[in-house]
């Protein structure tokens, strides 16, 4: 009840400013909108780790010196970097998803949801950006340091794991944070395949209520807030990982 | 392990026989024969590009020669075909380079502890204890928690030596470990190596520190143009040799001073 009163107060206050948030008092549209926020947050929370883990794996493949690992990843990175995410999403959902459905004997057997495809497409797209940044960092580790590690008995993978990636991750952190900020914004492509994230939900509401400006204000504030948090966490990690006496 | 622990003081621990190695078209080692006994300190001297570093890299299986036999602590290095086998050898043969190459993101202690714990699977507590002992040995106990970037070159190089020793190697290779150092800090690193040799560690040093080589070596090897021109006691190589090239090289170094030598070195 407290909640209802607060909502009522908010609607009333905004009404005086000429902003129409009356739909918040309704059950159905308010619910859609709230779910939209949650879906977007959920998308962001799942896609960020996916992009980081895959980005790391991609970078490892690109720098492995093994053609059968690096060539496919290089091809994928170029493709995803140079084509619109929206097109990739539509291709994945309309073509790949259909292929999967056919293979499993019908859409009813296909466990892959539109949500999955947004995570996959946006996650891999940003992973490609991360991979390029991390690859730069891996290649910047001096060859003499790698030889010293080899001389001690480290395997190529152990050098990657204990030396190159820790250094490359630090060096590429600013680029990674930029990638994550664009990831947050890119989750909105989900509305093209009816994932009810916040832009999709907002469109549903404002076509009924004709309150585009009101919803836009919240929408912009919402994304700004998420990315503010991403940037702050990024600089916190950067400070945590800073190496005393090292020029990074 | 078995063959190596059986190696007694005085027995050959490193043996190179007619080792030939080329990088592409360039023949770098043109038939190297070299025997080093356990517990010995051997210095390799010679002009830049004569193949000194390449000899060390062969011993540590960092490069593989085209022909010739290499035996290190009972292992036929030239016959190792798999990288995993070479890794096994490298764990037993320490190598320290000119550019210390400490891991900049790890503290001094973690630099020393990383390899034994991660690649030998040694117990961490025991390794930390060993690392502290080694730091005391190289006189850097108070720097355990510092990062490499906070240390001078000489201090970093001493950590690099401690890091190599933490693997409990059967021999240690030193490749011009003082060449990148300021003259004031060269001494502190040589001091550590001298100690190590006195403790009986089999050591092979590529060095331009002639006076040091003379003082600590059991044998001095002179290389030129991919060949071992001569080898013998320090007295022989530095004082009584008839070879004009060696006389010129040794004389040139002591006459020209360190600065002149260092300008001529490749990094
Ligand atoms: N990886 C490599 N690829 C091609 N050539 C190489 C490589 N490593 C060394 N060389 C060449 O082999 C020759 C011997 O090199 P090496 O490093 O063994 O000489 P060095 O005696 O240690 O010289 P310095 O005193 O300058 O360190 C040089 O001519 C060098 O250019
Ligand atoms: Mg050299």
């Amino acid at each position: 009840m407290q909640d209802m009163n607060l909502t009522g107060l908010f609607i009333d206050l905004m009404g005086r400013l000429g902003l129409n948030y009356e739909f918040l008092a309704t059950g159905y549209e308010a619910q859609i909108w709230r779910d939209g926020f949650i879906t977007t947050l959920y998308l962001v929370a799942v896609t960020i780790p996916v992009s980081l883990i895959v980005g790391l794996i991609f970078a490892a493949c690109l720098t492995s010196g093994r053609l059968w690992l690096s060539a496919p990843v290089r091809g994928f990175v170029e493709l995803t970097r140079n084509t619109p995410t929206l097109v990739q999403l539509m291709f994945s959902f309309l073509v790949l998803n259909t292929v999967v459905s056919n293979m499993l004997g019908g859409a009813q057997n296909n466990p892959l949801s539109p949500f999955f495809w947004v995570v996959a497409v946006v996650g891999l797209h940003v992973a490609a950006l991360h991979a390029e940044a991390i690859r730069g960092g891996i290649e910047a580790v001096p060859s003499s340091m790698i030889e010293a590690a080899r001389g001690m008995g480290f395997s190529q993978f152990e050098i990657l794991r204990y030396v190159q990636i820790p250094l490359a991750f630090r060096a590429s952190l600013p680029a990674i944070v930029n990638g994550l900020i664009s990831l947050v914004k890119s989750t909105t492509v989900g509305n093209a395949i009816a994932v009810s994230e916040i832009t999709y939900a907002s469109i549903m509401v404002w076509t009924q209520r004709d309150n585009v400006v009101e919803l836009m204000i919240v929408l912009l504030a919402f994304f700004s807030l998420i990315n503010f948090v991403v940037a702050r966490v990024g600089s916190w990690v950067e400070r945590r990982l800073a190496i005393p006496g090292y020029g990074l | 392990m078995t063959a190596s622990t059986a190696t007694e003081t005085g027995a050959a621990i490193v043996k190179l026989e007619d080792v030939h190695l080329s990088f592409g078209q360039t023949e770098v080692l043109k038939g190297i024969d070299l025997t080093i006994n356990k517990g010995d300190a051997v210095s390799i001297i010679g002009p830049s590009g004569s193949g000194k570093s390449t000899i060390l890299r062969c011993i540590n299986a960092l490069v593989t020669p085209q022909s010739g036999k290499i035996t290190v602590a009972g292992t036929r290095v030239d016959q190792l075909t798999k990288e995993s086998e070479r890794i096994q050898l490298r764990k037993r043969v320490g190598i320290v380079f000119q550019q210390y190459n400490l891991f900049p993101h790890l503290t001094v202690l973690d630099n020393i502890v990383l390899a034994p714990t991660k690649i030998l699977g040694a117990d961490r507590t025991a390794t930390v204890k060993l690392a502290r002992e080694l730091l005391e040995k190289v006189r850097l106990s108070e720097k355990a928690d510092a990062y490499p970037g906070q240390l001078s070159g000489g201090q970093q190089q001493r950590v690099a030596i401690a890091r190599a020793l933490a693997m409990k190697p059967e021999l240690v290779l030193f490749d011009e470990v003082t060449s990148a150092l300021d003259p004031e800090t060269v001494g502190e690193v040589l001091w550590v190596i001298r100690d190590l040799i006195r403790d009986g560690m089999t050591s092979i040093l590529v060095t331009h520190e002639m006076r040091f080589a003379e003082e600590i070596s059991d044998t001095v090897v002179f290389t030129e143009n991919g060949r071992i021109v001569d080898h013998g006691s320090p007295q022989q190589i530095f004082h009584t040799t008839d070879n004009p090239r060696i006389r010129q090289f040794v004389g040139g170094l002591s006459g020209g001073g360190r600065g002149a030598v260092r300008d001529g070195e490749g990094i």
Side-chain angles (χ1 to χ4, degrees), chain B residues 48-49 51-54 57 98 175-176 206 208 266-267:
Chain B
S48 181
K52 305 181 297 292
S53 298
T54 308
R57 283 172 170 80
Q98 183 174 335
D175 193 354
E176 294 194 33
V206 170
H208 288 278
I267 291 179

